[in-house]
Amino acid sequence: VALIGPNGAGKSTLLDLISGRQAPSSGQVWLHGQRVDGWAPQRIYRQGLGRSFQVSQLFGTLSVRDNLRCSLLWRLGHGYAFWRRLAHLRAVNAQVEQLLAQLGLQEGADTPAAQLGYAEQRALELGMAVAGPARVLLLDEPTAGMSAAQAQRMVALIRQLCAGRTLLLVEHDMEVVFGLA
């Protein structure tokens, strides 16, 4: 589903309410048959809701590979532990390599995320959203600021990575809206 409207209409605020970044003053939010309004964002995430933001939310000093690892750890049954050597987590690393290939980011896998170009940062954020347990994805203007060619590539990536999931998309580019919704 695509959500469109003028700037300031409350589209991003709605995504913040659904994902727990803001508490609703009234009403209810349900996810997979369970009421989740008032829950912390990380708890809602663990119930299967992933999202991207208007401004990419990445671990800028970590490599592309490590950003994806962080997103996969919880889903694959690994809590965060500073003493664990991530290089030894074969299932995590295999899925990271698969995601890197799908995202087209293998060449820059060891590059700090902050050094990626804008379109690559957006692709990484999408990869992080789908790497977790998300069956529902909220994407906030995933192609904003991209050239037409970059936006086409992102639409193809969204279509590929979000297949079989519920998608709520906020977008101003009507070609993107009609290409996905």
Side-chain angles (χ1 to χ4, degrees):
V1 172
L3 180 61
I4 60 173
N7 290 335
K11 301 175 302 293
S12 296
T13 300
L14 176 63
L15 297 188
D16 284 347
L17 290 167
I18 294 169
S19 65
R21 288 176 52 92
Q22 289 188 37
S25 57
S26 64
Q28 300 175 354
V29 178
W30 290 76
L31 178 65
H32 309 303
Q34 190 165 18
R35 188 171 172 188
V36 298
D37 49 286
W39 286 18
Q42 64 272 19
R43 186 173 175 200
I44 296 172
Y45 166 80
R46 290 178 186 141
Q47 285 298 117
L49 182 99
R51 84 167 280 189
S52 71
F53 298 86
Q54 281 184 1
V55 177
S56 294
Q57 302 290 309
L58 304 170
F59 301 107
T61 58
L62 293 181
S63 71
V64 170
R65 180 177 278 115
D66 285 341
N67 270 269
L68 292 172
R69 270 191 194 127
C70 288
S71 295
L72 280 164
L73 286 173
W74 184 267
R75 181 172 60 86
L76 296 178
H78 303 285
Y80 295 104
F82 67 90
W83 63 85
R84 180 175 295 131
R85 298 192 56 91
L86 295 176
H88 298 294
L89 300 176
R90 289 191 177 110
V92 172
N93 293 322
Q95 288 197 19
V96 165
E97 295 307 314
Q98 180 183 2
L99 268 171
L100 286 168
Q102 289 176 308
L103 297 168
L105 295 174
Q106 308 97 309
E107 191 174 302
D110 295 316
T111 303
Q115 293 180 14
L116 293 176
Y118 177 73
E120 289 78 20
Q121 286 185 1
R122 301 299 290 176
L124 175 57
E125 188 177 40
L126 176 62
M128 291 172 68
V130 301
R135 293 176 291 165
V136 175
L137 292 167
L138 310 177
L139 303 183
D140 199 351
E141 298 187 33
T143 66
M146 291 186 185
S147 69
Q150 290 171 327
Q152 284 179 342
R153 182 178 182 284
M154 181 60 81
V155 166
L157 226 104
I158 291 169
R159 191 176 289 118
Q160 173 193 357
L161 294 175
C162 297
R165 303 172 199 245
T166 300
L167 175 63
L168 176 57
L169 171 79
V170 170
E171 185 58 66
H172 289 281
D173 184 331
M174 295 310 290
E175 285 188 40
V176 172
V177 168
F178 291 123
L180 291 169

